[in-house]
């Protein structure tokens, strides 16, 4: 996958040293397909005098994120605002300092607001001669048609179980049996597989989610399961943001002079500090909400994989089961229900995902889903 992106960039560089260069690229693929990694490898190939050798200083700086001509952007909160996009466009207009290109790597470009997307479209329509935009999104349809029509699309797919297991075994020294389990359970998502292989807490959370279907014996159990799932997501979000929030707030307060004792300064925030602090708090709340949603969505996709395995068993499909380690539970539900019921349950989970994306209260959305999953 990465070599394919590097090869594509290498051909562009060799084929005219920029004369026929496409200035906007869109990397698409499901979670775990390596969209950002492929885009970064592409950027390294553009910067490298040898078209992406992987060993020179240019390649190394791009891959670790320190190259002065590469700016990588990732929306931290629920969306990417028009203000942030306009600031990014201004920075993108600068000339490269070391090589032929200034590269803007925009991860999760599908999270741009409508106003931000319109601003981005103008930048892509009339880019500076040495600026290249690399956008990443799950699917082309996640972006405005006017944006994707101006991009060259690179479609990626998830690697197979054996390939992911090989990476875990060789790079992380994971025993082959564990590596195979993690790769199969993660369904080709390398980062997820690595977490499952190396982190016992991640494995416990997966086991808790996959135990939900057999626990839904009544309305009370459905409400309890929903409450537990939402609370777990909230706790994960709080744990992931606590230290970062504290550090950011402390740095901002220092920037605005809190605690300073020099002449003309006081120990409180100087003018403008309160507004900046409020803006930071809003961004932090948005980031926490995003992490909570991502955690919930990950759990919902685990449930989808469970019922997908049940459906495969009901039809006798000879496919690899993502949750083969709990085959007994899968077999029990496959025997006790019909394929139509399994499809209905998968639809209920997907509807819950849509509701969460539309800002429906998580507790309400998850409770409705649990009731629909009940036998």
């Amino acid at each position: 996958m990465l070599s394919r992106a590097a090869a594509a960039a290498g051909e562009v560089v060799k084929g005219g040293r920029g004369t026929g260069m496409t200035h906007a690229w869109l990397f698409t693929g499901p979670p775990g397909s390596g969209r950002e990694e492929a885009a970064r490898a592409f950027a390294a190939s553009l910067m490298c005098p040898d078209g992406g050798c992987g060993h020179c200083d240019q390649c190394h700086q791009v891959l670790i994120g320190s190259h002065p001509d590469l700016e990588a952007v990732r929306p931290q909160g629920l969306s990417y605002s028009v203000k942030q996009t306009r600031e990014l466009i201004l920075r993108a207009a600068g000339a490269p300092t070391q090589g032929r290109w200034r590269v803007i790597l925009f991860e999760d470009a599908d999270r741009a607001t409508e106003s931000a997307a319109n601003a981005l479209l103008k930048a892509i329509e009339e880019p500076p001669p040495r600026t290249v935009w690399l956008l990443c999104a799950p699917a082309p349809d996640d972006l405005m048609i006017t944006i994707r029509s101006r991009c060259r699309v690179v479609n990626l797919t998830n690697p197979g179980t054996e390939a992911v297991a090989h990476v875990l075994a060789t790079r992380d020294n994971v025993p082959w049996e564990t590596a195979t389990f993690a790769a199969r359970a993660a369904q080709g998502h390398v980062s997820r597989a690595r977490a499952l292989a190396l982190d016992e807490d991640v494995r416990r959370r997966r086991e808790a989610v996959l135990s939900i279907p057999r626990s839904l014996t009544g309305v009370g159990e459905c409400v309890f399961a929903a409450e537990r799932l939402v609370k777990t997501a909230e706790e994960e979000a709080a744990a992931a943001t606590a230290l970062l929030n504290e550090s950011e707030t402390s740095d901002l307060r220092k920037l605005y002079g809190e605690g300073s004792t020099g002449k003309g300064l006081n120990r409180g925030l100087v003018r403008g500090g309160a507004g900046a602090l409020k803006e930071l708090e809003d961004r932090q709340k948005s980031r926490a909400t995003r992490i909570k949603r991502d955690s919930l969505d990950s759990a919902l996709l685990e449930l989808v994989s469970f019922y997908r395995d049940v459906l495969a068993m009901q039809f006798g499909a000879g496919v690899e089961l993502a949750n083969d380690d709990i085959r007994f539970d899968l077999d029990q539900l496959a025997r006790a229900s019909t394929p139509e019921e399994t499809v209905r349950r998968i639809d209920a989970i997907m509807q819950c995902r849509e509701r969460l994306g539309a800002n429906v209260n998580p507790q309400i959305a998850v409770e409705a889903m649990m009731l629909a999953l009940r036998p």
Side-chain angles (χ1 to χ4, degrees), residues 185 206 210 302 305-306 309 321-327 330:
R206 170 181 175 268
L210 295 179
E302 292 279 12
S305 75
F306 178 92
D309 286 350
L321 301 180
N323 304 291
D324 191 61
D325 53 309
I326 56 169
R327 179 178 283 267
L330 299 173

Side-chain angles (χ1 to χ4, degrees), residues 25 83 112 154 194:
W25 297 73
K83 177 183 177 182
V154 179
R194 188 171 187 271

Side-chain angles (χ1 to χ4, degrees), residues 116-168:
N118 287 327
L120 181 62
L121 173 61
K122 293 179 181 178
I124 291 176
E125 284 179 326
E126 300 176 0
R130 293 296 176 183
T131 297
V132 179
W133 289 85
L134 307 181
L135 310 180
C136 300
D141 290 345
D142 290 326
L143 296 181
M144 293 168 48
I145 187 171
T146 46
I147 289 181
R148 65 176 185 264
S149 66
R150 288 163 174 78
C151 297
R152 184 176 294 183
V153 179
V154 179
N155 292 310
L156 305 172
T157 59
N158 282 350
T161 296
E162 188 172 346
V164 175
H166 176 74
V167 169
L168 296 177

Side-chain angles (χ1 to χ4, degrees), residues 99-331:
R100 293 183 293 276
W101 305 105
R102 178 159 178 77
V103 180
I104 310 300
L105 199 170
F106 195 164
E107 300 179 46
D108 298 328
D110 54 303
R111 293 185 182 177
T113 64
E114 183 177 354
S115 298
N118 287 327
L120 181 62
L121 173 61
K122 293 179 181 178
I124 291 176
E125 284 179 326
E126 300 176 0
R130 293 296 176 183
T131 297
V132 179
W133 289 85
L134 307 181
L135 310 180
C136 300
D141 290 345
D142 290 326
L143 296 181
M144 293 168 48
I145 187 171
T146 46
I147 289 181
R148 65 176 185 264
S149 66
R150 288 163 174 78
C151 297
R152 184 176 294 183
V153 179
V154 179
N155 292 310
L156 305 172
T157 59
N158 282 350
T161 296
E162 188 172 346
V164 175
H166 176 74
V167 169
L168 296 177
T170 56
R171 187 183 66 184
D172 300 303
N173 296 317
V174 176
W176 182 254
E177 184 177 350
T178 303
T180 303
F181 150 75
R184 185 174 58 243
Q187 301 176 74
H189 194 309
V190 179
S191 298
R192 172 69 175 166
R194 188 171 187 271
L196 281 169
L198 301 177
D199 193 331
E200 188 176 348
D201 287 338
V202 174
R203 292 195 294 273
R204 278 200 296 264
R205 284 196 293 270
R206 170 181 175 268
E207 291 171 2
V209 170
L210 295 179
S211 70
I212 287 175
R214 66 172 179 267
S215 72
L216 304 178
T217 56
V219 174
E221 287 76 12
C222 291
V223 174
F224 176 74
E227 183 180 3
R228 185 177 58 185
L229 198 61
V230 172
K231 185 177 180 180
T232 299
E234 291 173 345
E235 290 173 349
E236 288 185 17
T241 58
L243 291 178
L244 182 57
N245 288 354
E246 183 179 349
S247 175
E248 289 175 341
T249 302
S250 176
D251 289 345
L252 184 64
R253 287 183 176 277
K254 289 178 182 177
L255 181 65
Y256 278 90
E258 183 176 70
S260 300
T261 56
K263 185 176 180 181
L265 296 175
N266 55 51
R267 300 189 65 83
L269 291 175
V270 298
R271 188 172 202 162
L277 186 61
K278 178 64 169 61
E279 184 178 342
L280 174 62
E281 290 173 349
D282 290 341
R283 290 201 305 270
Q284 290 173 342
K285 289 178 182 177
S286 179
R287 180 172 60 201
T289 301
R290 169 54 58 188
I291 294 174
K292 175 183 173 181
R293 281 192 188 174
D294 288 346
S295 176
L296 269 176
D297 195 59
S298 178
L300 297 181
L301 290 176
E302 292 279 12
L303 286 173
V304 169
S305 75
F306 178 92
Y307 288 107
R308 173 253 186 200
D309 286 350
V310 170
L311 191 63
M313 295 182 74
Q314 288 172 329
F315 280 115
V319 297
E320 181 181 65
L321 301 180
N323 304 291
D324 191 61
D325 53 309
I326 56 169
R327 179 178 283 267
F328 178 77
D329 290 346
L330 299 173
D331 184 62

